[in-house]
Amino acid sequence: MRSKKLKALFCVYAELIDELGKINDSKLHYLVDSWVISLRESQNYLDDPDIPIKPSQLVSGFEQGLLETPQLLVELPEQCRAGSIKIFYSVVQKHIPELFDKHQKALKRVVTKGIITNKNDWYLVRGRMDVIEGLHGSEEEFEMLDKLLLEYERGV
């Protein structure tokens, strides 16, 4: 594989498939199964010289999938939610520690400004809220972020 980042993303998804596949939850298994298919199809695209897909295109899609995964994991039943989220962040941090840095910095800028100015900011705030909702010790942060969302939505 020519792209180091794509190789790292394949490793992330492969490990997530392995680790999250051990958890007994049908919604989680559906997600894991979709990753298995995506990895297989992506590898087929890369192996086929007649398909003009660039590794950067796959990188973009796989990164976006990882960025949206926490929003899916918070919808899991309570008995497997925390463990799934912990596994997810651990695996991503192991292979691509910088993935969430850019988004954390952007979220910090939004919080520092105290205002959501566009839909990207909204998704950053909403994503963070999904991750921390119901977590002990995160109530104050959740309320502050919720206030930012409500203010933005009133102005839209």
Side-chain angles (χ1 to χ4, degrees), residues 112-127:
T112 300
K113 284 189 312 188
I115 187 168
I116 296 173
T117 57
N118 57 51
K119 205 65 167 165
N120 288 338
D121 291 352
W122 185 93
Y123 281 113
L124 287 170
V125 171
R126 182 68 245 175

Side-chain angles (χ1 to χ4, degrees), residues 34-133:
S34 72
W35 289 341
V36 169
I37 293 167
S38 292
L39 286 181
R40 183 178 44 234
E41 288 178 355
S42 296
Q43 189 60 58
N44 289 341
Y45 293 149
L46 291 169
D47 293 342
D48 188 340
D50 295 330
I51 299 177
I53 291 184
K54 299 175 187 169
S56 62
Q57 292 171 299
L58 292 174
V59 166
S60 178
F62 281 128
E63 281 183 341
Q64 188 61 38
L66 288 178
L67 295 171
E68 293 175 5
T69 296
Q71 294 169 339
L72 300 172
L73 297 179
V74 298
E75 298 295 324
L76 294 173
E78 191 173 332
Q79 67 270 17
C80 64
R81 180 184 315 135
S84 297
I85 291 171
K86 183 177 179 180
I87 289 168
F88 172 78
Y89 281 109
S90 174
V91 170
V92 172
Q93 183 68 26
K94 174 180 167 185
H95 294 281
I96 311 172
E98 72 281 358
L99 180 68
F100 293 106
D101 291 350
K102 178 174 72 171
H103 295 277
Q104 291 291 47
K105 289 176 184 173
L107 177 62
K108 188 174 182 174
R109 282 192 300 275
V110 170
V111 169
T112 300
K113 284 189 312 188
I115 187 168
I116 296 173
T117 57
N118 57 51
K119 205 65 167 165
N120 288 338
D121 291 352
W122 185 93
Y123 281 113
L124 287 170
V125 171
R126 182 68 245 175
R128 176 66 181 156
M129 289 176 69
D130 289 340
V131 169
I132 65 170
E133 186 172 17

Side-chain angles (χ1 to χ4, degrees), residues 16-37 73 76-77 80 84:
L16 287 172
I17 288 166
D18 184 50
E19 293 299 321
L20 294 177
K22 296 174 185 174
I23 297 173
N24 187 18
D25 180 76
S26 60
K27 288 181 183 179
L28 191 54
H29 286 204
Y30 182 79
L31 177 62
V32 166
D33 290 345
S34 72
W35 289 341
V36 169
I37 293 167
L73 297 179
L76 294 173
C80 64
S84 297

